[in-house]
Amino acid sequence: CTTPRALFKLAQADYLPRQRELAKIEYNGMKVDLSYLTWGSESLGQTISHTRKQIFELAEADDFKLGSGKKLAQLFFGEGYTHPNPEYAAKLAETYPDLVKYRGGKISYKSQAYTVKGAIQTTDGVLNGLVTKYKCPLANLILAHKKADKAKNTFFANIEALALFFGDQKLHAGYGLNSTSTGRLASSVKIGDARFNAQNIPKGYIGALKNLYGELVLNDQGRPVFDGVNCKRLFIPDDDSYCFGNADAKGAEVSIY
């Protein structure tokens, strides 16, 4: 580069003006819809309770830590669990005699993935594989429980704590122009144990109330009892004179807009 003091000129002409605008956004904050947050958190709690009850019924257990890989390995690949559809379970065992066992009303599968130390893996990828190949109801419930629990106790709980911290119903996230190797804008905030990362906002609807086979539970009118929460709906304009826009120009949006 032949331009004298190129980095200084770049910072002066490009980065500093953008940083001043981002500082205004940080100060003003993003308004949080507390009513939607309260409703969503309560609804997710109902999904969590519903799926926990169904999981324990299939596992024939009063209680156990749902995040225990050892216990999940026993249920899926060891002693097995009670399948709600005995005929389908028997057909699976007949179709895949080397991969599925169905004895005494309990079904189990042959483990396919192991850690480097030889332990049976029970990751989300493994559970999704059981759902895809065998329509595994227990795996369906555990995956649904994980999503609802993470949305409620991680995302919603953190947003609520941060929105109430300054007493203005707003989340004041920080923005970094030089926080990524690709030059994309980064946004995060941490106050105490509460944290928020704008890059990790869950997409679509999550935490819906579903049955054993991953299908939405419907009411008498044929509509979903609860089709989940949309985490992006937590953030709303300050008033009706504003609206949100969506812009993604591969990192250039903060320069263009």
Side-chain angles (χ1 to χ4, degrees), residues 53-184:
K53 181 180 178 181
Q54 290 183 302
I55 289 169
F56 294 146
E57 287 177 354
L58 295 186
E60 294 185 352
D62 294 331
D63 194 9
F64 63 87
K65 187 178 180 181
L66 294 179
S68 171
K70 183 178 180 180
K71 180 61 178 178
L72 294 182
Q74 291 176 350
L75 290 172
F76 289 114
F77 309 112
E79 62 190 43
Y81 67 93
T82 302
H83 200 286
N85 189 336
E87 293 182 0
Y88 181 75
K91 185 177 179 180
L92 279 177
E94 183 180 345
T95 305
Y96 305 101
D98 296 329
L99 300 176
V100 181
K101 302 297 180 184
Y102 184 60
R103 298 171 182 167
K106 290 192 174 184
I107 188 171
S108 63
Y109 313 95
K110 183 178 180 180
S111 57
Q112 302 287 320
Y114 299 85
T115 66
V116 292
K117 294 184 178 180
I120 297 175
Q121 288 189 354
T122 56
T123 62
D124 287 359
V126 171
L127 299 186
N128 276 312
L130 294 177
V131 172
T132 301
K133 188 167 186 177
Y134 307 118
K135 296 182 180 179
C136 176
L138 183 59
N140 249 326
L141 290 172
I142 290 175
L143 288 169
H145 181 276
K146 282 186 176 182
K147 291 180 180 179
D149 184 71
K150 183 177 181 180
K152 173 178 169 59
N153 297 313
T154 300
F155 192 80
F156 270 63
N158 284 342
I159 294 297
E160 181 178 17
L162 294 170
L164 298 177
F165 186 82
F166 291 105
D168 59 358
Q169 195 182 327
K170 291 185 176 182
L171 189 151
H172 297 270
Y175 297 90
L177 286 171
N178 300 307
S179 302
T180 64
S181 59
T182 59
R184 296 180 72 94

